Amino acid sequence: MTKDWQNPALLALTLIALPAGWLAYELGNPPLAAQLWNLSALVVAAVLILEIVQRLIRREVGVDLIALLSIAGAVLLGQALVAAVIAVMLASGRTLEFFTARRAERELNKLIDRAPRIASRMVEGQLQQIPVEEVMPGDRLLVRMGEVLPVDGVLLSLTATLDESALTGEPLPVTLQTGASIRSGGVNVGAPLELQASETAAYSTYAGIVGMAQAASQSRAPFARMADRYALALIPLTLLIAGLAWLLSGDPIRALAVLVVATPCPLILAVPIAIMSGISRCAKRGILVKDGATLEALAEAQVLFLDKTGTLTTGHATVQSVESSGAYTQEQLLHLAASLAQASPHPISAAIVAAASTNTRPLSTPEQVVEEPGAGLSGVVDGHQVMLGAHHFINANQPAQAWDEGMLRRMDYQDSSGSFIGVDSAMAGVVLFADPLRIESPNALRRLRQAGIRKIIMLTGDRAQTAQMIGLAAGVDEVRAELDPAAKVAAVQQGRKDGKTLMVGDGVNDAPALAAADVGIALGASGATASSEAAGVVLLVDRLDRVAEAMHIASRSRLIARQGVLVGMGLSLLAMLAAALGYLPPLAGAILQEGIDIAVICNALRALGAGFNANAASKLQGSHVDELKREHADLAQLLESVSHLADQFSTLAQDQAQNKLQRLLTRLETQLIPHEQADENELYPLLARHLKGEDPMSALSHTHREIFRLVKLLGRMNSDFSANSAALSQDEIGQTLLRLDTVLGLHFQLEDELFHNLDVR
């Protein structure tokens, strides 16, 4: 392999020899000038001969043969100055190629070079500096401010602030609490922290990332290998043109001029630099591409397969609502359920406890807790026998009541799951859960279609009804439900008949399907899972829209590579013809060819950037987006109240309906309307400056006006209903509430998606 110093040393030698020879010539010593120029050229020729022999030993044909022939021809024909200039151009081109390749691999090299070598292990209160390879699971480690986390582990300190920008491309630090799982590779930007290692360094997240980065930096794309073959085909063509020029003109200088301008640099430089620049650009955005072949396949993909849970949806169950059968209020039921759920490590139990954490009433300590795996929990809370779990667990050996049947039917319609609550041997209510669609999913799928995807298919093991609703909301073309891992593999393999396939997933059971696709893409922010190891692309930040970004980068890199080849080789061929006809002497040809090489390399480096007009909108600062999201979170309970009252208004007693409607109107007028008016008057003008188009906020402004109209209409209806209940039916008010609920739900979803897509992080 060429030493790092060799190309700069050759360049320095040729740059010294060229003016030294010129000085000798001006001082009246042409023989010395010729000797200096020929010497520098012969040194470069010797290096070329050595490299050609090394390639022949490896059974490779070197395209440097043309350059060697041009130097030899110039020396033999007494064109010492031409030989020296060719030597300078070759040395400068090789040096430029070397530094350009380093520039193209910069982001990959950053990932590799920052890998920690030393860890601080705590043993009996003493710190030991040990090689990171000696860290074992269970070791207590200290990570000081500014140090890279050496292994995956569990946070022992109360809090930790980590900068994961080198992994994910997200600029803002993340704050974690004690007990959190943390992955290697992040930088501690806060106080020194302690963690307990859960993996060795070799099996930690960052080791997998470094391994992929090293493989990518050494990879060769199919397009690059094809370009090499075309470059080799240039050798006989060049010799033919040079021979004809000499034969027809009788002037060997013309043959030399053809050799000088016949370098295949546009082929052998443009493609690998553009592809490597694309891989490096992906790494900067938290998208780790395994090799050049994967990047090329990514640019050609036409069929996309998506897992549902954790890919299209968040993969994290959240409490949607608490429903009561009548004996207890929603707050009482949540308190009882959460108090009991504290005793279980199940993620569903954790979600219930998290939902109750917003209440001011502290949770009680459960007693006599018994857990039946796959069924539920039972125990005593505040003197009540409480059960939490599946419907059959609560209602064992008893026929379902009307409330139970209605709730089960509603859960089926809404594609939600739930944990039923029994209190003192009676069905008391249910906690409903939802695995919501990722905010970016619809927008990401639209962008993927723009990037070249013609068909999107969702694969899931869930029930068909649930899968269909998620698929419709996300905008997929086809849903295949109730599939096991083998059936997912078969679906991906079958999809290849429609074009190159992508498979995106995040779970261990997705690994076979990821491996079966032309390109497997793993959402690997949670660590180096089996799915990450089977994938050709790993997203270090769990955002589905990064898939579309990866496709855009891949397509742009391949386009830039092709542009470099076509334009560069076109110019070289024109220069060869001009030289053959006698219009381009060897000295001018060498200078022209160097200009072509520099232009090709600079063009290839464009793949490092996002390009002009890369985004349809500029970005808001992450702090602005966080504030917008907090405002929406504060209004979530109000929106739930609108939905809840809309569902039950027509069935309520008249007095109860009037009271609930009046309380809701008061909240709408004091909380919702001021918020929406502030959005319309202050936020939307700000957002319009970040978006393209004449009036990009017009659709959302229209929904604002509809919200204002419906709230005003409800106020009038409430007045009429209070004055004369016979003049207005509860059904009419209920229908207006339903319309308001629908508009609010759609409006907030659109705003959440917009805020998410404008996030700078």
Side-chain angles (χ1 to χ4, degrees):
M1 181 178 291
T2 302
K3 300 293 185 182
D4 289 357
W5 53 266
Q6 184 173 337
N7 289 322
L10 277 178
L11 180 60
L13 173 65
T14 57
L15 286 176
I16 292 172
L18 188 62
W22 185 266
L23 180 62
Y25 185 87
E26 290 294 325
L27 292 176
N29 195 347
L32 177 60
Q35 290 174 4
L36 290 172
W37 289 334
N38 283 333
L39 177 62
S40 65
L42 290 174
V43 170
V44 174
V47 172
L48 292 177
I49 291 173
L50 180 61
E51 292 180 353
I52 290 172
V53 171
Q54 290 175 340
R55 289 196 179 99
L56 288 174
I57 293 174
R58 297 195 301 267
R59 297 183 179 182
E60 299 175 359
V61 180
V63 293
D64 290 334
L65 179 61
I66 297 176
L68 178 62
L69 290 175
S70 66
I71 292 177
V75 173
L76 292 174
L77 293 173
Q79 300 288 319
L81 177 58
V82 172
V85 172
I86 294 172
V88 170
M89 298 308 169
L90 285 172
S92 63
R94 291 160 65 95
T95 303
L96 181 60
E97 177 189 0
F98 169 73
F99 286 111
T100 300
R102 293 290 299 269
R103 173 73 174 85
E105 297 174 9
R106 183 179 60 183
E107 298 302 330
L108 293 176
N109 290 332
K110 281 183 180 179
L111 289 173
I112 296 170
D113 295 343
R114 67 191 295 278
R117 306 285 189 270
I118 300 295
S120 300
R121 181 169 61 188
M122 301 181 67
V123 179
E124 297 180 354
Q126 301 295 318
L127 278 180
Q128 298 178 347
Q129 300 294 316
I130 61 172
V132 71
E133 293 81 8
E134 295 182 9
V135 175
M136 301 299 294
D139 286 350
R140 292 172 63 95
L141 304 177
L142 178 70
V143 182
R144 300 178 180 87
M145 183 177 181
E147 292 183 343
V148 177
L149 273 66
V151 296
D152 295 352
V154 177
L155 181 63
L156 300 178
S157 302
L158 291 178
T159 61
T161 304
L162 304 179
D163 176 4
E164 296 186 329
S165 58
L167 305 180
T168 65
E170 305 292 321
L172 297 182
V174 295
T175 301
L176 301 175
Q177 306 297 322
T178 184
S181 296
I182 53 179
R183 54 184 176 171
S184 55
V187 178
N188 179 20
V189 294
L193 64 87
E194 292 184 31
L195 76 150
Q196 185 175 47
S198 58
E199 295 284 355
T200 62
Y203 289 95
S204 287
T205 300
Y206 199 60
I209 293 171
V210 169
M212 287 190 71
Q214 290 172 331
S217 65
Q218 299 167 7
S219 69
R220 296 278 287 165
F223 191 20
R225 291 192 290 270
M226 181 181 67
D228 286 346
R229 291 195 293 271
Y230 284 137
L232 292 177
L234 187 65
I235 295 176
L237 176 63
T238 299
L239 295 178
L240 176 62
I241 295 176
L244 288 174
W246 188 355
L247 179 65
L248 296 176
S249 68
D251 184 3
I253 299 299
R254 289 198 185 184
L256 174 62
V258 172
L259 293 176
V260 168
V261 298
T263 174
C265 286
L267 278 170
I268 61 178
L269 296 183
V271 178
I273 290 175
I275 296 298
M276 188 53 60
S277 295
I279 293 175
S280 189
R281 169 69 183 170
C282 284
K284 185 176 182 179
R285 295 294 296 148
I287 306 164
L288 203 56
V289 180
K290 185 174 291 184
D291 51 36
T294 300
L295 191 78
E296 281 198 45
L298 196 59
E300 299 170 356
Q302 295 177 309
V303 182
L304 173 65
F305 291 91
L306 292 160
D307 180 48
K308 180 182 79 72
T309 304
T311 302
L312 277 175
T313 66
T314 63
H316 304 292
T318 57
V319 173
Q320 188 177 27
S321 64
V322 179
E323 304 296 334
S324 172
S325 63
Y328 297 88
T329 66
Q330 294 171 318
E331 291 77 12
Q332 290 172 327
L333 287 176
L334 182 58
H335 173 78
L336 292 171
S339 297
L340 179 61
Q342 293 177 104
S344 172
H346 196 281
I348 290 296
S349 297
I352 295 174
V353 173
S357 64
T358 58
N359 294 340
T360 56
R361 182 182 178 186
L363 298 180
S364 303
T365 302
E367 301 174 347
Q368 304 173 29
V369 178
V370 177
E371 183 168 3
E372 294 186 22
L377 295 169
S378 63
V380 177
V381 178
D382 296 340
H384 295 283
Q385 183 67 38
V386 180
M387 302 177 73
L388 178 67
H391 181 266
H392 65 81
F393 176 69
I394 309 298
N395 221 35
N397 303 320
Q398 295 183 28
Q401 303 298 313
W403 184 88
D404 303 37
E405 293 178 345
M407 186 54 61
L408 289 169
R409 185 165 52 250
R410 173 181 167 186
M411 290 167 60
D412 187 50
Y413 288 158
Q414 296 182 351
D415 305 307
S416 58
S417 59
S419 289
F420 286 86
I421 306 168
V423 180
D424 297 330
S425 302
M427 181 65 72
V430 63
V431 181
L432 296 180
F433 301 99
D435 181 11
L437 194 70
R438 287 179 181 268
I439 293 175
E440 76 271 14
S441 289
N443 177 264
L445 296 193
R446 292 194 298 272
R447 290 180 58 191
L448 282 163
R449 294 186 194 278
Q450 295 169 1
I453 294 296
R454 294 190 292 106
K455 189 174 185 180
I456 300 176
I457 303 168
M458 187 179 82
L459 307 178
T460 180
D462 282 358
R463 295 181 308 130
Q465 296 93 331
T466 301
Q468 287 288 349
M469 299 306 292
I470 291 292
L472 287 170
V476 304
D477 298 314
E478 185 179 340
V479 174
R480 301 183 189 178
E482 302 177 12
L483 302 179
D484 59 18
K488 290 183 179 181
V489 170
V492 173
Q493 291 174 337
Q494 184 183 15
R496 284 186 166 178
K497 68 179 186 297
D498 297 322
K500 283 193 177 294
T501 55
L502 297 184
M503 172 67 195
V504 184
D506 78 322
V508 173
N509 63 344
D510 297 326
L514 292 173
D518 290 301
V519 180
I521 302 179
L523 274 67
S526 57
T529 61
S531 60
S532 300
E533 294 163 9
V537 179
V538 176
L539 304 184
L540 301 179
V541 54
D542 281 346
R543 287 184 58 145
L544 188 59
D545 48 10
R546 293 291 170 92
V547 178
E549 188 172 352
M551 287 193 65
H552 170 76
I553 293 172
S555 298
R556 184 168 182 270
S557 300
R558 190 179 62 164
L559 176 62
I560 288 172
R562 287 181 171 175
Q563 288 173 345
V565 168
L566 293 175
V567 174
M569 290 309 300
L571 292 175
S572 293
L573 289 172
L574 288 175
M576 288 168 63
L577 293 176
L581 294 173
Y583 296 114
L584 191 63
L587 184 59
I591 297 173
L592 174 63
Q593 188 57 55
E594 180 67 7
I596 294 174
D597 293 349
I598 292 174
V600 166
I601 289 174
C602 292
N603 180 70
L605 283 176
R606 289 195 300 118
L608 284 171
F612 298 111
N613 302 319
N615 296 309
S618 59
K619 302 297 186 180
L620 290 175
Q621 290 297 322
S623 57
H624 293 167
V625 177
D626 289 339
E627 178 61 29
L628 297 173
K629 291 179 178 178
R630 278 194 294 270
E631 292 177 4
H632 273 201
D634 292 341
L635 289 169
Q637 190 176 12
L638 176 56
L639 267 61
E640 184 180 338
S641 298
V642 174
S643 179
H644 194 73
L645 186 58
D647 287 340
Q648 62 176 203
F649 191 81
S650 60
T651 64
L652 295 174
Q654 179 179 324
D655 291 345
Q656 188 179 15
Q658 289 177 347
N659 291 335
K660 288 195 172 186
L661 180 58
Q662 182 59 56
R663 288 199 298 270
L664 178 63
L665 278 169
T666 300
R667 295 178 64 191
L668 289 172
E669 291 167 354
T670 58
Q671 293 177 249
L672 178 69
I673 297 302
H675 167 80
E676 301 300 344
Q677 287 174 336
D679 279 359
E680 181 69 29
N681 299 328
E682 300 171 15
L683 175 62
Y684 282 14
L686 172 65
L687 293 178
R689 293 197 293 271
H690 289 265
L691 298 169
K692 289 190 174 180
E694 184 175 342
D695 189 8
M697 305 305 298
S698 60
L700 285 172
S701 290
H702 178 75
T703 56
H704 270 169
R705 294 192 298 273
E706 183 63 9
I707 290 169
F708 299 153
R709 188 189 72 82
L710 288 173
V711 172
K712 190 70 172 178
L713 178 59
L714 278 174
R716 290 176 53 197
M717 285 182 162
N718 180 52
S719 299
D720 294 342
F721 189 60
S722 300
N724 183 6
S725 59
L728 187 66
S729 71
Q730 289 183 217
D731 286 343
E732 290 181 77
I733 299 177
Q735 290 173 2
T736 304
L737 283 167
L738 284 171
R739 286 197 293 271
L740 177 62
D741 178 42
T742 302
V743 173
L744 285 173
L746 181 61
H747 177 76
F748 273 63
Q749 286 177 3
L750 290 172
E751 282 194 338
D752 285 340
E753 182 180 336
L754 176 62
F755 299 161
H756 184 82
N757 293 329
L758 284 174
D759 196 339
V760 74
R761 292 167 294 184

